[in-house]
Amino acid sequence: MSDTAKRRVAILISGRGSNMTALIEAAKAQDFPAEIVLVVSNKADAGGLEIAAQHGIATVVIESRPFGKDREAFERALQDKLTASGIDLVCLAGFLRLLTPWFVRQWEGRMLNIHPALLPAYRGLHTHERALADGVKIHGATVHFVVPEMDAGPIVMQGAVAVRADDTAETLAARVLAVEHQIYPDALRLVASGGIRIENGVCRTRATGSADDRLISPAVI
Ligand code: GAR
């Protein structure tokens, strides 16, 4: 694929930006169908901003705080920046701000999010703590299209890990995060290359299931 055909992607962050970094690294591959052209943070002290700049990617801070409860005013500023940058696709990567239906509609079918759980289980916060409290044996992460409802929307890709008997929220989070760093770039590749279509709120793809499509936990020895 020639560079000019690549989809132009903006990543929205609020924090350390490890998923952002995974996307930036993956997009360096010549055959990757998207290029990361902009990183936007709603927090000036987000660690990810410096990492993005080190990779030579344009960064911009649009602080949400001064807009207070006027979420749409913040989003109009954001939308202006995205439009001016010719963005095709938006990736939310630890972007800790609820988006209004107005903004979500602007990016319908063109905005992805990563969530640290196997949706539709564990929407919201503290997913790892809640999974451990419930004693689930398999946990994971989901890349999905963003819809007005929080942590919902057509699922593009999921990755799972076995929960270990001695897991803490931290150890589990670390293994899930490693999965996130794998599935977010893969999902973006799939979406940017046109390999997904949404039918009745469900993603359809020609991509096959995982080569090893059985995960049983715990293993009985
Ligand atoms: C990631 O684990 C992401 O899944 C989560 O925030 C973290 C951001 O880390 N997102 C959510 O919980 C959204 N509901 P990062 O800044 O290192 O990518």
Side-chain angles (χ1 to χ4, degrees):
M1 173 176 293
S2 73
D3 252 23
T4 50
K6 291 191 182 213
R7 315 291 285 157
R8 293 171 64 80
V9 173
I11 306 177
L12 274 50
I13 63 168
S14 302
R16 65 188 166 177
S18 73
N19 277 290
M20 171 207 77
T21 306
L23 291 170
I24 291 172
E25 295 284 357
K28 286 184 179 167
Q30 240 201 322
D31 71 341
F32 200 83
E35 59 177 327
I36 314 303
V37 296
L38 179 67
V39 169
V40 183
S41 173
N42 67 326
K43 294 195 187 301
D45 61 356
L49 285 169
E50 195 170 330
I51 300 170
Q54 281 163 6
H55 284 273
I57 291 168
T59 63
V60 61
V61 176
I62 305 174
E63 289 261 25
S64 42
R65 192 182 304 217
F67 292 98
K69 288 206 166 73
D70 193 352
R71 291 199 288 152
E72 277 205 22
F74 163 76
E75 290 173 353
R76 277 195 297 275
L78 178 58
Q79 180 69 8
D80 286 349
K81 182 67 197 173
L82 297 174
T83 308
S85 305
I87 297 303
D88 300 308
L89 293 168
V90 173
C91 290
L92 308 182
F95 184 66
L96 304 178
R97 176 113 189 144
L98 274 180
L99 296 167
T100 66
W102 173 78
F103 185 81
V104 173
R105 265 199 306 277
Q106 309 305 309
W107 295 94
E108 192 178 349
R110 299 189 299 146
M111 180 157 59
L112 297 172
N113 181 43
I114 187 147
H115 181 74
L118 292 171
L119 292 174
Y122 306 115
R123 292 173 174 167
L125 298 173
H126 310 298
T127 56
H128 310 305
E129 287 85 346
R130 287 157 57 209
L132 287 176
D134 285 344
V136 300
K137 306 303 179 219
I138 292 173
H139 185 50
T142 303
V143 178
H144 64 97
F145 283 101
V146 177
V147 296
E149 193 183 341
M150 195 184 70
D151 297 331
I155 291 171
V156 178
M157 194 174 284
Q158 294 184 301
V161 300
V163 178
R164 296 178 186 157
D166 61 352
D167 260 329
T168 62
E170 289 71 32
T171 60
L172 184 55
R175 288 204 311 292
V176 170
L177 191 63
V179 168
E180 293 183 40
H181 296 163
Q182 189 176 344
I183 64 172
Y184 212 172
D186 284 353
L188 178 58
R189 179 185 278 277
L190 198 55
V191 170
S193 64
I196 291 274
R197 58 176 201 287
I198 304 173
E199 275 177 19
N200 301 324
V202 172
C203 286
R204 305 285 179 200
T205 175
R206 281 194 307 277
T208 55
S210 192
D212 176 14
D213 62 5
R214 201 178 284 188
L215 171 59
I216 294 172
S217 170
V220 179
I221 316 165

